Each structure stands twice: as structure tokens, then as C-alpha cells.
């Protein structure tokens, strides 16, 4: 048996290509099982629980995209850049927030997210949103009718990104920011923008002039005498909140896209497994236990996955494997750095420890008159939104609003949803 990963971690990639490892952590399974650890992940995909025999195939160093495409045979999500930059692999992760007991929906990069990080979550891929056979979702119809797809490679990820935006009940003003993690080299983005905006009640009109610019975005709107602009100004109204309402043309488009799917905004919550919301269900009780997955396949880079559910369990793992000669470990939250190191730098990590969100102290964001406390595993998107909410109080504006403004331009929505200040 060879288990001295550190011995080979600094070798040139070409020198390590044929090295195989047997995971000695197999000897730990019985001991951790006696401590109450689970040995099988619980996964949900597109409204259905993944059968145990398929869920058991999820490996510690396997990405969610690999699991979906190779094990689940769901090949709608694409592999593009492999580093979370293009968004072609985007899927939506839905999970119960332990603090609010509400379901939260997040777009993530499946090319970076570990498959086992989806334990206890519901994964929605483009296949689960809609299909020609089962009926297209309004987002898919809008993308089709408004020419938001050309070569089609990026389309699944863009549809999922828009779908997850509406799952969070966001407004049209958030569309551009929410699509910052999706690249398209064909359309120039305007048709994609129009498709997403056409489904918003508070969106601006899609009327365009012969110049190709949307009338309400034209810098010469007040002086332009084109018929389209004159007509648009006549039909545009303003609500009590100061948001411009849709024109007859826009409303007719939305009604066309919504045909047969009047409750489409509720679809993400309707698909979310009910047993994950019931804390007394057998599944929820099982998920309250920590998880250990030992990769039993002999291949380069095999390792062990730990998911502690309490702070005490986390400290126990760090103490046990942090000692000299124990092989070491790597804390993983979003895998936005470790995933790239493993893929492009051929790094090998024998053990990955991914704390559950029930370890609240490291997923916390608290503001007091004296301090701002941010847990090392708190997602950057949560920091961004909580900082904006705290800034409404004049006492905290000067401190928290700069956090929001900086994070808004940092990375992408998919990255911010999983990345944290602690890294990895």
C-alpha cells in the first residue's frame, strides 16, 4: 500500500500519471460508523431522490458535473472552462436554510462543486426545468422565441441561471448582475437579456428603434421623434413605487411564454423534496448525522470525504488528522480553489473536510455597534446581501455598504454563492 501522498505531491504531473493509491482510510470506516457517521450520501436531482446504488458512486474528489453526466446520464450541463468562468455547467442547488427554515436557491458551477457537497441538497439541471416532451418552461420559451440561443453550448447554463434568479423572486434590476457568471460568444447578450427581462413584471419595454437600441435606454429618448419612441412614451406608465410597467407588446409576450405554465414561479419550491423540510422525517434525521465517504477505487487522487455537522465534530477531525504522520487534510467549502488545484495543478488531497451549515458559528454574519463578525465559511453572496441589509441602518452604512459594493464586482454569482473568506 502507498499512502504517503505528500511524498508524491511535489512530483511533476507527467511523473505521477500512472501512480495508483489504495486508500488506507477504509480501516477507519467502522470506527467512525460507531461514532454515528453515515457512510452513504443522500442526493436529490430534479425532484427525485437518487437511488442508493447511484448515490454510492459519488467519489470524494469527483465534481458534481462529472456525477451528473457520467452517473446520472444528465448531459444537458456542459463542461467548458473547468474553472468556474464560463457558466456552461451551471446547475441550481436548493437547500433548507437552518437559520430561517426556508428554502434557498443558488446557481453554482457544477464543474467545481464536489458531488458530495450536494449531500442533503436538491439539484436542478436544465433537464429538470422543462423539455420538449414534457413542456418547455417559460424561460426556455423566451430564450427560443427571442433568439437567445445560437450555437447552444452555453444555453443550458444560462437557462439555469435565469431560472434560479426567478426562484429567488428577484426583480429585473438584478438580471444583469445575476448573469455575470455566464459567457456567450454568439449572441452579444442582448437577446439573452431581452428573454430574461420579458418575464419580469417590473421590466422595461423591449421596444427598439431602427438604431437597435431599446427606446427606454436611448440617451436621446427625450428628443427622439421616431414613431417607436413616441408610441412607447405614450404607453409607458409609472407605478406608485416608481417602477415602469410593461407595455401591451411586452405583456403579450409574457402571456405567450407562460401559456400552460401559470404557476412557473412556484416550480422550484414545488420540486423541493418535502422530506427535507420536515425535520422529523427519516431523511432529515439521517442528514443530522455526520458523513464519511471513503473512495475505494484505485486511481490517482483517491481520498476521503468528511462532513461534520457540529463544531465539536469538526474540531475532533482537525485534531485527529492534523498531527504529523496522519496524512493531513484540506478544509473545503466552495472548492473554488481546491478544485482548480486538483484539475490543473494535479494536486492530491487525501482527506477533504466540508463542514455542514449546521455548524452555525462558521457560517455566521453578525453586525453590532462594536463589531462585524463574519464566519470563515460564510458564502460571499450571503456577506454581500447581509451587508446591504445592514447598511439600511445609518449606524452601519459606512462599514457594511463598502463590503457590498466590493463583492458585487468580485468573481461571479455562481462563485460568490459558494466561495468564502476562509478560501478553498
Amino acid at each position: 500500500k502507498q499512502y504517503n501522498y505528500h511524498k508524491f505531491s511535489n512530483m511533476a504531473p507527467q511523473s505521477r500519471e500512472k501512480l495508483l493509491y489504495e486508500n488506507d482510510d477504509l480501516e477507519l470506516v467502522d470506527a467512525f460508523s460507531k461514532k454515528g457517521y453515515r457512510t452513504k450520501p443522500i442526493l436529490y436531482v430534479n425532484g427525485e431522490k437518487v437511488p442508493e446504488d447511484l448515490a454510492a458512486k459519488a467519489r470524494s474528489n469527483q465534481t458534481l458535473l462529472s456525477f451528473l453526466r457520467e452517473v446520472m446520464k444528465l448531459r444537458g450541463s456542459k463542461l467548458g472552462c473547468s474553472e468556474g468562468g464560463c457558466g456552461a455547467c451551471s446547475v441550481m442547488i436548493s437547500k433548507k436554510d437552518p437559520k430561517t427554515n426556508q428554502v434557498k436557491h443558488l446557481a453554482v458551477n457544477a464543474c467545481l462543486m464536489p458531488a458530495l457537497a450536494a449531500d442533503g441538497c436538491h439539484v436542478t439541471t436544465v433537464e429538470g426545468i422543462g423539455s420538449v416532451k414534457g413542456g418547455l418552461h417559460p424561460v426556455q420559451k423566451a430564450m427560443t422565441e427571442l433568439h437567445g440561443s445560437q450555437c447552444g453550448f452555453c444555453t443550458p447554463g444560462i437557462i439555469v441561471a435565469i431560472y434560479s434568479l426567478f426562484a429567488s423572486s428577484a426583480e429585473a434590476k438584478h438580471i444583469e448582475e445575476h448573469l455575470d457568471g455566464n459567457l456567450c460568444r454568439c449572441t452579444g447578450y442582448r437577446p439573452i437579456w431581452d428573454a430574461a427581462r420579458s418575464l419580469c413584471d417590473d421590466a422595461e419595454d423591449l421596444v427598439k428603434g431602427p438604431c437597435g437600441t431599446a427606446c427606454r435606454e436611448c440617451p436621446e429618448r427625450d428628443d427622439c421623434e421616431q414613431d417607436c419612441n413616441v408610441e412607447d412614451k405614450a404607453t409607458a406608465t409609472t407605478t406608485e413605487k416608481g417602477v415602469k410597467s410593461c407595455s401591451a407588446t411586452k405583456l403579450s409576450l409574457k402571456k405567450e411564454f407562460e401559456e400552460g405554465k401559470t404557476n412557473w414561479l412556484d416550480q422550484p419550491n414545488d420540486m423541493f423534496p418535502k422530506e427535507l423540510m420536515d425535520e422529523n422525517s427519516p431523511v432529515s434525521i439521517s442528514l443530522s448525522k455526520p458523513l464519511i465517504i471513503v473512495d475505494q477505487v484505485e486511481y490517482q487522487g483517491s481520498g476521503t470525504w468528511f462532513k461534520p455537522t457540529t463544531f465539536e465534530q469538526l474540531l475532533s477531525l482537525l485534531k485527529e488528522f492534523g498531527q504529523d504522520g496522519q496524512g493531513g487534510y484540506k478544509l473545503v467549502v466552495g472548492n473554488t480553489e481546491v478544485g482548480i488545484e486538483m484539475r490543473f495543478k494535479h494536486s492530491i488531497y487525501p482527506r477533504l473536510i466540508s463542514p455542514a451549515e449546521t455548524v452555525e458559528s462558521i457560517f455566521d454574519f453578525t453586525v453590532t455597534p462594536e463589531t462585524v463578525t463574519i464566519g470563515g465559511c460564510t458564502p460571499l453572496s450571503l456577506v454581500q446581501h447581509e451587508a446591504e441589509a445592514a447598511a439600511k441602518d445609518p449606524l452601519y452604512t459606512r462599514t457594511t455598504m463598502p463590503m457590498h459594493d466590493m463583492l458585487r464586482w468580485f468573481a461571479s454569482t455562481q462563485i460568490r454563492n459558494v466561495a468564502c473568506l476562509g478560501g478553498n
Side-chain angles (χ1 to χ4, degrees):
K1 291 185 179 181
Q2 298 184 64
Y3 189 65
N4 190 354
Y5 290 85
H6 296 287
K7 178 180 178 181
F8 303 103
S9 61
N10 295 322
M11 294 175 62
Q14 60 270 22
S15 302
R16 300 190 277 120
E17 287 180 355
K18 297 183 180 180
L19 286 177
L20 295 178
Y21 299 83
E22 289 184 353
N23 196 338
D24 287 350
D25 280 353
L26 283 171
E27 302 171 358
L28 301 176
V29 173
D30 289 340
F32 276 88
S33 295
K34 293 178 181 178
K35 295 179 181 179
Y37 275 71
R38 291 180 290 128
T39 56
K40 294 181 180 180
I42 299 175
L43 307 173
Y44 289 83
V45 177
N46 295 333
E48 302 290 339
K49 185 178 181 181
V50 178
E52 285 190 6
D53 60 325
L54 294 181
K57 294 182 179 181
R59 307 192 307 268
S60 60
N61 288 314
Q62 183 181 31
T63 65
L64 179 58
L65 181 63
S66 171
F67 178 80
L68 292 172
R69 291 178 61 88
E70 298 172 12
V71 179
M72 299 299 297
K73 307 302 180 184
L74 296 172
R75 298 188 172 97
S77 305
K78 308 302 181 185
L79 177 63
C81 65
S82 299
E83 57 184 13
C86 70
C89 65
S90 296
V91 299
M92 187 177 79
I93 296 293
S94 304
K95 51 187 173 181
K96 180 182 177 181
D97 190 327
K99 294 183 179 179
T100 64
N101 290 326
Q102 300 295 317
V103 182
K104 57 182 178 181
H105 307 284
L106 306 169
V108 303
N109 291 308
C111 72
L112 289 179
M113 182 175 181
L116 292 173
D119 175 60
C121 300
H122 176 242
V123 181
T124 303
T125 68
V126 68
E127 292 93 341
I129 295 176
S131 64
V132 174
K133 183 178 180 180
L136 293 177
H137 188 275
V139 172
Q140 294 168 317
K141 288 183 180 179
M143 284 285 288
T144 302
E145 297 297 326
L146 296 178
H147 313 289
S149 176
Q150 290 188 25
C151 82
F153 193 84
C154 66
T155 303
I158 291 174
I159 288 176
V160 171
I162 298 174
Y163 179 81
S164 63
L165 170 66
F166 286 114
S168 302
S169 301
E171 299 176 344
K173 64 182 181 180
H174 297 136
I175 291 176
E176 185 173 3
E177 178 179 339
H178 201 80
L179 291 175
D180 59 359
N182 296 85
L183 301 182
C184 176
R185 299 184 67 182
C186 300
T187 65
Y189 299 104
R190 173 55 61 182
I192 298 171
W193 169 267
D194 289 344
R197 212 167 41 166
S198 69
L199 296 169
C200 298
D201 289 331
D202 65 339
E204 294 179 351
D205 200 354
L206 291 180
V207 176
K208 295 182 180 180
C211 62
T213 302
C215 290
R216 295 188 183 181
E217 296 178 352
C218 179
E220 305 295 332
R221 178 171 172 79
D222 293 337
D223 300 323
C224 179
E225 297 182 357
Q226 291 286 344
D227 292 341
C228 58
N229 190 48
V230 173
E231 179 182 351
D232 181 61
K233 287 194 292 185
T235 57
T237 58
T238 303
T239 65
E240 295 179 355
K241 294 182 180 180
V243 180
K244 296 179 180 178
S245 65
C246 303
S247 68
T249 303
K250 180 67 175 297
L251 287 172
S252 65
L253 283 173
K254 184 179 180 183
K255 290 178 181 178
E256 179 182 338
F257 299 150
E258 290 180 333
E259 185 177 359
K261 294 276 188 177
T262 54
N263 62 338
W264 63 277
L265 285 172
D266 298 326
Q267 179 175 320
N269 289 327
D270 292 340
M271 288 179 61
F272 190 77
K274 300 298 184 291
E275 56 265 36
L276 293 180
M277 292 298 296
D278 182 5
E279 61 182 11
N280 296 317
S281 69
V283 171
S284 295
I285 293 174
S286 180
L287 287 171
S288 66
K289 302 176 182 179
L291 174 69
I292 177 175
I293 300 293
V294 178
D295 196 340
Q296 302 183 32
V297 179
E298 284 192 352
Y299 82 112
Q300 179 184 339
S302 63
T304 304
W305 180 274
F306 293 93
K307 179 186 177 183
T309 56
T310 67
F311 193 58
E312 290 74 16
Q313 292 168 358
L314 174 60
L315 293 178
S316 177
L317 291 173
L318 300 186
K319 180 180 179 181
E320 180 172 354
F321 299 117
Q323 300 176 9
D324 293 339
Q326 295 301 312
Y329 61 84
K330 193 76 169 181
L331 279 173
V332 172
V333 182
N335 206 45
T336 54
E337 176 59 30
V338 171
I340 293 176
E341 290 178 355
M342 292 170 61
R343 186 171 187 87
F344 295 105
K345 298 181 180 180
H346 305 281
S347 299
I348 297 175
Y349 298 105
R351 299 185 185 95
L352 298 175
I353 301 177
S354 179
E357 289 190 19
T358 50
V359 188
E360 295 185 2
S361 59
I362 58 177
F363 287 90
D364 189 32
F365 183 92
T366 306
V367 181
T368 68
E370 291 80 24
T371 61
V372 176
T373 304
I374 304 175
C377 296
T378 306
L380 296 182
S381 60
L382 178 62
V383 175
Q384 177 187 357
H385 299 145
E386 291 294 328
E388 182 181 25
K392 295 179 181 179
D393 186 332
L395 181 64
Y396 306 130
T397 302
R398 184 177 180 182
T399 302
T400 62
M401 201 58 194
M403 297 182 187
H404 166 270
D405 294 342
M406 184 277 293
L407 288 173
R408 184 185 178 193
W409 302 109
F410 178 80
S412 65
T413 296
Q414 286 91 327
I415 295 294
R416 292 193 298 270
N417 281 339
V418 296
C420 64
L421 289 178
N424 304 334

